[in-house]
Amino acid sequence: MYLKQLDTIGFKSFAERIKIEFVTGVTAVVGPNGSGKSNITDAIRWVLGEQSAKSLRGVKMEDIIFQGSDTRNALNVAEVTLVLDNSDNQLPVDYQEVSVTRKVYRSGESEFLMNKQPCRLKDITELF
Ligand SMILES: Nc1ncnc2c1ncn2[C@@H]1O[C@H](COP(=O)(O)OP(=O)(O)OP(=O)(O)O)[C@@H](O)[C@H]1O
Ligand SMILES: [Mg+2]
């Protein structure tokens, strides 16, 4: 399955909106210790439905929301979108491209979207 793109804002160390395009040929993510490489894989696991805060290296789910730094305030929501290529129809939906989005608020409320339409967590986990 081809992961095309990851967009995130407010997830762990990603205070600003970032967009990572996994263009053909990308096989690795490199960077200094603590620069956020594992946070990228955590974001992928989370958007695909991970329910265990511990698996995401936290204690409670809220720990995945940007908690602020010396120069920035904490954020109240984390949002991750993963775009998957479905031109080979591996996923049981009628779209060439499928985006899945997960949002969580500090209040504990959460939202799931598929191709920008609200859906249930189950709709996302059942895709795979
Ligand atoms: N909720 C959060 N808010 C702000 N920063 C966070 C949050 N959760 C984690 N971080 C930061 O993310 C950083 C760790 O990132 P990560 O583990 O992805 O690094 P890495 O590149 O995988 O490092 P290594 O090479 O050591 O494996 C730490 O600086 C940590 O403070
Ligand atoms: Mg790491």
Side-chain angles (χ1 to χ4, degrees):
M1 179 148 316
Y2 176 35
L3 307 184
K4 287 177 94 169
Q5 191 176 310
L6 185 78
D7 295 280
T8 157
I9 181 159
F11 185 89
K12 291 205 168 188
S13 52
F14 307 120
E16 280 177 32
R17 186 176 291 278
I18 59 150
K19 175 171 131 180
I20 302 174
E21 285 179 89
F22 300 105
V23 292
T24 311
V26 171
T27 54
V29 176
V30 294
N33 294 134
S35 61
K37 302 180 296 291
S38 300
N39 290 346
I40 293 172
T41 53
D42 288 343
I44 295 173
R45 293 165 65 114
W46 184 68
V47 74
L48 294 177
E50 180 59 68
Q51 292 289 74
S52 155
K54 213 170 137 193
S55 303
L56 300 165
R57 303 178 300 149
V59 175
K60 46 195 188 323
M61 207 36 108
E62 205 188 304
D63 295 336
I64 62 138
I65 304 173
F66 179 71
Q67 64 188 10
S69 67
D70 295 346
T71 54
R72 273 174 198 277
N73 291 330
L75 295 174
N76 287 319
V77 55
E79 178 175 342
V80 175
T81 298
L82 182 66
V83 182
L84 301 135
D85 182 86
N86 192 37
S87 50
D88 57 0
N89 291 306
Q90 264 203 43
L91 304 175
V93 284
D94 234 359
Y95 298 101
Q96 295 273 300
E97 194 176 275
V98 180
S99 75
V100 291
T101 301
R102 183 173 185 178
K103 271 185 177 189
V104 70
Y105 297 85
R106 244 177 234 292
S107 60
E109 248 179 289
S110 65
E111 284 173 36
F112 297 91
L113 304 115
M114 192 183 299
N115 289 347
K116 300 188 173 136
Q117 301 301 313
C119 69
R120 302 164 302 173
L121 168 59
K122 199 166 171 264
D123 299 316
I124 292 175
T125 52
E126 276 177 2
L127 266 182
F128 304 96

